[in-house]
Amino acid sequence: MAFVKNKARVLLVLILIISLNMMGCSNQPINDTESKGSVEKEENNETYIINSHEIEQTQNFKGVDHQVGRGPGTDKYEGYYLVKRGFGYGITGTRTQEDMWVKYPDRTYGCVTQEEYDKVFAKIEAAVEDFSIDDEFLWAIGQTLKRVPFTYYDRNSPLEAGRHETLGGFQKTEPTILYSIGKEDYITYRAGLGLSVKLGSSAKDPRDASPASAYDVLFRKRKDCDASAQVKLAIFDILGYDTQMIATANHAEAYYKIGGQWWWGSRSYDLSTIKEGNRVAVKHRGIDEENVKVSNRPPMEDYDISQQVGQGPGTGKYEGYYLINKGFSYTIDGTTTKEDMLVKYPGRTYGCVTQEEYDKVLEKVERTLNETTLPKSMLWSIDQTLDRIPYDTYDRYGELESDKWYTLYQFQQQWGFMLWETGRDDFIKVANGLTMSAKLNLEAKDSENATPTSAYDVLFNRRTDGYGLAWLDLAVLDVLGYDAQMRTRGEHPFIYVKAGTRWWSMWGHTTNLLTGRVIVPSRGQY
C-alpha cells in the first residue's frame, strides 16, 4: 500500500466535500446519538426497501451466524468462509443465488454469485494497494499537528490566500478526528473514503432503489446509498478496520471503528445502542484493531513509569524535586536519561537526557510564560463570546466590520465551547501557554532525522518534530499547574490537558481519551 503523491490534484476543499458526501441517498448519518449532539436529517424522496423482520434492532445481530461456515475453503478459497445459498442482509437484491466463499465472515458486499464477489474483491483489493491522498491534504495535516492556525496565513495576500483557504477548510472539520485517531489512521481513513468516491464516480443513481451491491456500483455502474456502503465495507475490510452498516427504511450508511470509536465522516458516534427505527443491516465483525494496515502501530496498554520515578525530594536547589534514575526512558528513541536527574514534576523530563538540559528548559519556560500575553484580538473575542455576542452580529461584507466578523467567527467555531466549559481565567491561562509554545516551535526547523526531539531541542537547538512541540506543551502546562498527558498513535504524539472537569485536545475539543498509547501519564495517576 503506497500513498502516492499524484501530480494532478484538485482543491482540498473539493476533496473534503466529496469525501464527506457518502455517495448514496443522503449525505447525513443514520444514527443520531452523536458524541457531540444530534444531527438534523434531510428529507429523502428515494425509497430503500428493507425487510425489517429479518434484521434485529440491536447491535448484537446474530442472524447470519448459523449460515456462515466456519471451516476454511480449499485451493483458491483457502481460509475463506462459506455463505450458503439464500443468505441475505434483509435488503432486497442481496440474497445469494448459490453457496459462496468469502474472505471475511458474512461479508458478501451484496453480491449474489461467486463470480460477482470475486470480481468485486479483486478490483477493490488492487485499488487499495495504490490509493493516495492529496499533497495539499498532507500539508494541512502537518500544519494542524503543529497547531498552526489558518489565520497564520494572510487571506488578503496573493501569496498566502490559497494556504489560508486550504487550511481553513481543513481546520473547520478535521482537527477532532485527526487528534483522536492519529496521523497514520487518519490518512488511511481519508484515503479509503476518497477511494470509495473514485470507484463510484462513474456510476449513476437510477432513483429506483434497485442497486444493492458493490458489484452494481463497480460493474453495472449503478449506485445508491446501500450499494455504495457495500463498497466502503469492502475497502475497510481489506484495510483491517471494523465496520458496520446501519439502515432505516429509506437510507443506509457505513460506520468505521478507529481508535475505539465509531466514525462517520469527521464525527464520532455512540453506537452502543441503535436509535429506534434503525437497523443493523451488516453487523460489525468485532475484530482486533491490531490488524489495521498502518505501520509502527503501538500497543494500546498504558505505560507505567511510576516504578522508575523516585518519590523522595531533592535537597538545596532541587528541594522538593523527584529523582529519575539514569537509563530512564519513555520507550521512544532519544529520551533515555544519561544520568540521574531531579525533576520538579514526577516523571516529567520533557525528553531531556541531562540535568543541564532539563534545568535550562524549565527556566526558559517559566521566564517566557511571565513575558507572554494573548493577542488583543483573542482577548476581545473572549469577552464578546462571554457577553453572548454571536459573530454574525457583525457584517461579514461591511468595510468596517468584516474583520470583526471573521475574527469572532474563527474563535467561536474553534474555542467557544472550551471557553464556556472552563471559564475565562482557566481558558486564558491555557490558551496563553499553548500560544507561547506554538510560537517558539515555529522558530525551530523540522528535524530531518527520525529521532524524536525534546523540549531542549526546540528551545536551544532550534530543531523540532511532533515530539518537540508535545514536550514543550507538557512543560508549559506543568508550570501553569494543569494536569496533562501525552498519548501517541503511530508516529505522532498528542497532548491533552485537564481544564475544568474535562480533558481537552490542543485544538479546544473535548475528548474521552479512548485512543492511543499513554507515553506520559497524567499527574493524577501518581
Side-chain angles (χ1 to χ4, degrees), residues 59-70:
Q59 190 170 335
N60 300 316
F61 171 43
K62 303 295 184 184
V64 301
D65 284 357
H66 68 284
Q67 300 195 60
V68 179
R70 298 304 178 190

Side-chain angles (χ1 to χ4, degrees), residues 401-418:
E401 294 188 350
S402 61
D403 286 343
K404 288 183 177 181
W405 181 95
Y406 194 79
T407 299
L408 196 56
Y409 168 80
Q410 192 272 338
F411 178 85
Q412 291 181 346
Q413 291 291 306
Q414 182 172 331
W415 300 107
F417 181 63
M418 183 177 181

